[in-house]
Structure formats: C-alpha cells, structure tokens
Amino acid sequence: MSPQLGEIAGRLLQPFVEAAGPLAACALVFAVLAWLTKGPRAIADARAAAGETKINAVISAVDAIAVDPLLAVGMAAVVAALVSHGLQLDSARLWTWIGRWPTIAAAIVLGDLFGYWRHRVQHSRRLWPAHAIHHSDTHLTWFSLGRLHPIDRAGSLADMVLLSALGLPVWALAANAVVRHFYGYFIHADLPWTLGKAGWVLNSPAMHRWHHARDVEGSGHNFATVFSVWDRMFGTFYQPGACPGPLGVREDLGQGALGQYAHPFKVWWRAIRPGELRLSS
Ligand SMILES: [Zn+2]
Ligand SMILES: [Zn+2]
C-alpha cells in the first residue's frame, strides 16, 4: 500500500477507532444490566434484535465517516453566523458568576427543554418521514439511539444553536451533548425500568419505550430525553409501567439502511410532484 493510500485508510478508520472504546464499554454495561434484570432471556432478546442492530451499525458507520464531519462544519458555520450578526446573548458574566457546575446544569435543563419541543416538531406531518427512521426499529436496544436519518440529525442541532444563542460557553454545550448522548443510550436500552420515584424527574427506559410503541395509546408521548418533567408539564407524559410492545411504525420504510435513507425523499417527492391529473390536463 502506498503511503498516501495508507494515510487515507488511516483517516477513514480514525472515527471507528475513536468510537470503539465508548461503544464497547456501553455494549458491556448494557449487556450486564440486561442479564441482571432478565437473566437468560436477555440473550434471546439480543438475538431477536440482531437484524435491527445490523441496520443501526451501518447507519452509525455512515454517520462517523460522512455525516458527523458535515454536521460539525454546519454547526460551526451557524454559530459563527450568530456571532457575526450579533444574535448571541452577551451572557458571559452571568455564567462566570453562577459558576461551572450550575452553568452545566443550566445547559442540560435548557437543552432538554429545547429538545422536547424540537422532538415534537419532528413528529409533525412534514418532518415525520425523516424521523420515522428512528421509530422503525422494532427491537429497541441502547444502540437504536444511532438510527437517525441525516436530515433528522441536522434538525436536532437546533437545540445546540439555541443554547449557543443564549451565550452558554462551549464547554457547557459539550458537557450537555455528552450527558444527552449517554442518557440517550440509557433510555433506549432494552430494560423495563421505570426508575420508581426518580421517574418523577428523570426519563426512563420504560418511558421512552412507550414513545416508540406502535399503534397504542402511549405512542406519541414522552418527547424529552433526560427529564420527565417537561412531558408532565406539557401534558404528553405516559407511563403506566413497562411497555410490552409492539414497537416500530406502520408504514413501509424500504429495505435495510439504504431504503431508510431514501424513504423521506420518496415521501416528499410524492407530496410535491405534479399530480397525473394536473399533468394530463
Ligand atoms: Zn420520536
Ligand atoms: Zn428514541
């Protein structure tokens, strides 16, 4: 292999090398928790989820190679535009005054509030075809967090843009992103936990499973990621206990990861193309 090819291969592999450690740690932690909670049934459940896990792995790999770098550049450009147009609140003295940990707490609480409303918008009729990819997983596991269409992921950056517009420091935004990411793994985990009294404040795996439920009363509820208080406050809370399923969506999203990437474009094209009657008239 020539040195140039070696360098290109190294760059392509770098995102996987960086992600491998945290992903392996999460896989181990959630496997142990599933075994302690469900015993041997955890293995049967993991086997049943294997097909969906493969699709999640392909989408996560494409994200690491192509989508993440693009979104990082887009996010940097949007924040730079906020600053240059004077649209960022001059709140640096406030965050310095309240200190590091309260600032991180503020970023997480506000980020989850923004995320709650952004997620509700993603469930609107026009944006649903992209968000449906996340809901198409019929065997939810911690890894299902990564099943997101690139357009859906781009929309999710709205939370960060709003936090940035409030003038929150970059390190607080980074802390919020890390907490939301790993708490996101937790609520997608195949665990029947409601978190008991902590569930009055925090979102739980059972609560988010109801969000992914198909054709039952609980679907279309529980939009927040970290806290349950926003859903309680805005009337979308649903938590009668562990969710028995079924999970997924009614519509056909196509085969495999490629079919899922194409799905929203097909739906939107069908919606905007001139109708046959109009064409022939
Ligand atoms: Zn959703
Ligand atoms: Zn989800």
Side-chain angles (χ1 to χ4, degrees):
M1 189 186 288
S2 72
Q4 288 91 342
L5 272 179
E7 194 183 332
I8 291 168
R11 282 192 185 167
L12 279 175
L13 285 173
Q14 194 178 351
F16 297 105
V17 174
E18 286 170 0
L23 284 178
C26 285
L28 181 65
V29 167
F30 288 118
V32 170
L33 291 177
W35 177 268
L36 291 175
T37 306
K38 301 192 285 186
R41 192 162 59 84
I43 294 176
D45 288 349
R47 281 204 180 121
E52 299 286 20
T53 302
K54 274 184 205 158
I55 296 176
N56 296 338
V58 171
I59 291 177
S60 297
V62 173
D63 276 357
I65 292 174
V67 181
D68 290 348
L70 278 176
L71 292 183
V73 171
M75 179 71 198
V78 171
V79 171
L82 279 181
V83 174
S84 67
H85 289 85
L87 295 171
Q88 195 176 45
L89 213 64
D90 184 14
S91 57
R93 276 200 304 173
L94 169 68
W95 307 121
T96 306
W97 180 71
I98 70 169
R100 179 170 292 261
W101 291 107
T103 301
I104 289 174
I108 294 168
V109 170
L110 290 171
D112 206 47
L113 173 63
F114 297 152
Y116 170 87
W117 286 107
R118 180 260 306 154
H119 192 176
R120 286 193 70 165
V121 171
Q122 285 170 319
H123 274 252
S124 62
R125 188 170 57 88
R126 287 197 170 83
L127 294 182
W128 171 253
H131 188 60
I133 278 60
H134 180 62
H135 280 262
S136 67
D137 196 324
T138 55
H139 290 82
L140 214 59
T141 66
W142 65 276
F143 202 35
S144 307
L145 173 70
R147 188 184 295 200
L148 293 166
H149 195 280
I151 289 178
D152 207 34
R153 287 199 62 203
S156 300
L157 291 180
D159 314 356
M160 292 285 262
V161 172
L162 288 170
L163 288 175
S164 182
L166 290 177
L168 277 147
V170 172
W171 47 263
L173 301 190
N176 170 57
V178 169
V179 168
R180 287 183 70 75
H181 186 69
F182 286 97
Y183 205 81
Y185 280 149
F186 173 63
I187 62 169
H188 286 88
D190 187 10
L191 298 166
W193 299 354
T194 61
L195 300 187
K197 287 206 169 65
W200 281 95
V201 177
L202 292 171
N203 200 348
S204 65
M207 196 178 151
H208 195 63
R209 194 157 282 250
W210 282 110
H211 179 72
H212 282 260
R214 191 189 72 201
D215 296 340
V216 293
E217 200 186 331
S219 55
H221 290 70
N222 304 344
F223 291 95
T225 295
V226 180
F227 300 107
S228 60
V229 288
W230 306 124
D231 283 288
R232 290 178 190 279
M233 197 178 285
F234 300 119
T236 50
F237 178 80
Y238 189 86
Q239 174 59 291
C243 172
L247 309 177
V249 290
R250 269 267 164 242
E251 57 260 61
D252 177 13
L253 302 188
Q255 290 293 310
L258 267 183
Q260 302 224 337
Y261 281 131
H263 172 73
F265 300 111
K266 285 186 191 165
V267 175
W268 291 328
W269 171 243
R270 277 200 298 268
I272 62 167
R273 73 180 169 187
E276 284 189 41
L277 277 176
R278 270 175 61 193
L279 277 175
S280 59
S281 63

